[in-house]
Amino acid sequence: MEKYSIRGGKKLYGEVTISGAKNAAVAIIPATVLVDGPCRIENVPKISDVTSLLMIMRELGANVKLINDTTIEIDCSKIRSTKAPYELIRKIRASYYLIGSLLGRFHCAEVGMPGGCDFGVRPIDQHVKGFQSLGAKVDIKNGFIHCSAENGLTAANIYLDVVSVGATINIMLASVLANGQTVIENAAKEPHIVDVANFLNSMGADVKGAGTDVIKVRGVPTLKGGSYAIIPDQIEAGTYAAAVTAAGGDILIKNVIPKHLECITAKLAEMGAVIEEYDDSVRVKRDGPINRVNIKTLPYPGFPTDMHPQLVTALCVANGTSIITEGVWENRYRYVDELKRMGAKIQVDGKVAIVEGVEKLTGAPVRAWDLRAGAAMVIAGLIAHGVTEVEDIIYIERGYEDIVEKLTQLGADIKRVEYPDEEEVREAL
Ligand code: UD1
């Protein structure tokens, strides 16, 4: 097994290049099921969630070729199965996009119920409502979701009861080949929703309004292959911006869309960071104190829920008390106990966390509870006095490409170290 060992106290300087967006990649890869021909996808991040999805695609009968480090070609012309195996599916939340894609193309899908980070209850009722509105029969049993529409799918007007990224994308996928014009109201507006719509349009779909809360999908008979480059990862970029705000220093974050980062950098500026935007890069520096702030997470363009653990960590050493309100998930504060073991003063009451700034954090062994909580532990390690060891890094590597290498290049003292797992310890006794 491996963990990260971080000796804190180094400021960050230099340049970091952001990879392709995880949340776009994990939707675009299943979306290729809808396309009758080879899709060349560029700027694909090298993360384990992508690897798991590519394995599932191969299992379904897709022809998957790695063209180079960040470019893949997927040809789903000869898909032979509409059943996605549970063993692979359970590892990643985004595998549920296969339901929309398989249903859209073959009018039939059998997909294991999705896994992913545990933020409390993660319902999929809005996805189901969308599929049913399009005319599918949906049945959830024995850990699988079965969907079928013997007579094909027919366009519908669908009003989402909650703003859901997953449901918006899944309904878009299911409706691109349906008969007529589907309207999704109260749609989510995240940058990766626009990216999925752009991908589908570049393959011949007719999707309008992505990025607003009304998306119109006019069904087309087929999608043909083509080439598409995934947008840069908003949350990876935000994580490095949060890291330099927490640790101090001056870094240039390259390959970003600054507009997508504004909801994050606005808050970092309030915390005392200096932000300079360029065409496709952002410079973030911080050398004064960290100011206390209040944060409420909301769907885009609000402050992203996937960034709050990283900012909470920086606020642990701010000059005052900050209040964080989680507006999307029920239970996203499990990592707080790890920060407390490093000396943080945080009280959690339901969806609210009160963070009282302390002078310093001290290194400790901690674990990554989930992907973004794991990134928060790494940032905690960067600012703590002494050594922090982060276990369960498997969660971090689901979504951050080469995080050790990228931070090392910025001057951080972080290493991946091996340690014996339970079985090896037992054998040694
Ligand atoms: C996606 C992101 C995740 C991010 C989240 C919110 C991916 C792979 N994951 O997750 O990193 O934290 O958006 O920005 O892109 N809800 C329902 N019924 C549903 C669906 C959702 O009630 O059918 C609720 C959820 O419980 C939650 C809220 O809607 O409270 C938002 O969920 P959603 O946007 O669907 O999150 P994901 O797409 O799972």
Side-chain angles (χ1 to χ4, degrees):
M1 296 241 279
E2 286 186 319
K3 60 185 170 186
Y4 297 155
S5 172
I6 308 164
R7 183 173 289 280
K10 293 242 172 128
K11 292 188 174 186
L12 304 180
Y13 292 98
E15 297 182 352
V16 61
T17 302
I18 297 308
S19 305
K22 164 189 171 281
N23 287 345
V26 298
I28 287 174
I29 292 169
T32 61
V33 166
L34 291 158
V35 183
D36 194 9
C39 303
R40 192 184 170 97
I41 310 169
E42 293 163 18
N43 206 29
V44 180
K46 281 184 291 165
I47 52 175
S48 64
D49 265 14
V50 162
T51 313
S52 306
L53 262 179
L54 294 178
M55 284 167 70
I56 297 171
M57 297 298 291
R58 277 206 170 137
E59 201 65 30
L60 293 173
N63 188 0
V64 180
K65 279 193 226 154
L66 301 183
I67 306 294
N68 60 40
D69 240 18
T70 57
T71 305
I72 54 176
E73 193 179 276
I74 307 179
D75 186 347
C76 293
S77 323
K78 297 200 175 77
I79 289 251
R80 55 173 182 264
S81 168
T82 53
K83 180 169 178 171
Y86 175 70
E87 300 69 43
L88 292 170
I89 290 291
R90 71 185 170 88
K91 290 191 191 162
I92 42 169
R93 184 99 198 134
S95 51
Y96 62 23
Y97 293 133
L98 283 167
I99 311 170
S101 304
L102 288 167
L103 185 62
R105 171 106 185 263
F106 301 106
H107 307 151
C108 170
E110 206 178 322
V111 178
M113 287 292 280
C117 292
D118 181 2
F119 309 145
V121 186
R122 295 187 76 172
I124 58 162
D125 57 301
Q126 298 303 305
H127 306 234
V128 171
K129 174 172 122 171
F131 301 146
Q132 286 171 334
S133 305
L134 294 168
K137 212 168 134 263
V138 182
D139 206 6
I140 299 176
K141 62 174 188 237
N142 305 331
F144 274 80
I145 171 159
H146 304 254
C147 297
S148 62
E150 273 170 30
N151 303 320
L153 297 168
T154 308
N157 277 13
I158 300 159
Y159 191 96
L160 296 179
D161 300 335
V162 287
V163 179
S164 159
V165 173
T168 303
I169 293 180
N170 235 340
I171 297 168
M172 237 163 47
L173 297 176
S175 58
V176 281
L177 300 177
N179 222 348
Q181 178 173 270
T182 296
V183 181
I184 311 169
E185 294 200 57
N186 199 24
K189 297 181 276 209
E190 268 67 1
H192 47 287
I193 291 177
V194 180
D195 211 34
V196 176
N198 287 344
F199 164 78
L200 292 168
N201 286 342
S202 73
M203 302 290 147
D206 183 356
V207 182
K208 293 197 175 81
T212 75
D213 51 15
V214 182
I215 299 180
K216 294 183 177 163
V217 185
R218 186 170 291 283
V220 294
T222 50
L223 298 186
K224 293 282 172 229
S227 239
Y228 190 77
I230 290 175
I231 50 165
D233 197 305
Q234 174 207 29
I235 304 297
E236 189 198 13
T239 300
Y240 285 98
V244 69
T245 303
D250 181 351
I251 68 170
L252 185 69
I253 307 174
K254 296 184 357 182
N255 186 35
V256 299
I257 298 175
K259 179 84 194 143
H260 293 170
L261 294 180
E262 279 170 7
C263 50
I264 302 165
T265 47
K267 199 47 81 175
L268 295 176
E270 252 185 79
M271 287 167 65
V274 177
I275 315 284
E276 287 170 21
E277 281 184 11
Y278 303 99
D279 287 347
D280 59 359
S281 60
V282 167
R283 183 173 173 194
V284 184
K285 52 184 171 174
R286 203 272 299 165
D287 59 8
I290 301 177
N291 305 324
R292 62 150 303 277
V293 293
N294 294 338
I295 300 174
K296 176 156 189 189
T297 70
L298 289 168
Y300 189 81
F303 184 86
T305 170
D306 282 1
M307 279 302 305
H308 97 228
Q310 301 89 315
L311 263 71
V312 164
T313 303
L315 292 170
C316 287
V317 290
N319 60 4
T321 300
S322 307
I323 301 174
I324 288 79
T325 310
E326 170 56 40
V328 178
W329 297 110
E330 255 174 46
N331 179 4
R332 227 186 153 158
Y333 289 120
R334 286 196 305 188
Y335 66 91
V336 157
D337 283 341
E338 308 295 312
L339 291 176
K340 282 188 184 168
R341 292 171 53 237
M342 298 176 74
K345 278 199 182 163
I346 307 176
Q347 272 178 36
V348 175
D349 184 6
K351 292 185 166 191
V352 177
I354 298 171
V355 185
E356 196 185 318
V358 295
E359 201 188 312
K360 61 173 185 168
L361 297 183
T362 43
V366 292
R367 61 172 291 201
W369 276 97
D370 61 54
L371 170 59
R372 307 304 171 188
M377 291 307 114
V378 171
I379 295 176
L382 296 177
I383 60 177
H385 289 219
V387 174
T388 297
E389 292 191 328
V390 185
E391 290 186 15
D392 292 332
I393 59 171
I394 187 168
Y395 288 107
I396 303 174
E397 298 189 351
R398 280 186 41 207
Y400 288 93
E401 176 176 326
D402 294 339
I403 189 169
V404 170
E405 292 73 11
K406 288 184 184 185
L407 282 171
T408 303
Q409 213 184 322
L410 293 174
D413 185 347
I414 174 169
K415 292 191 287 283
R416 196 180 268 112
V417 292
E418 283 198 18
Y419 70 106
D421 63 19
E422 241 176 73
E423 215 165 285
E424 286 166 328
V425 171
R426 219 174 294 125
E427 269 170 23
L429 290 175

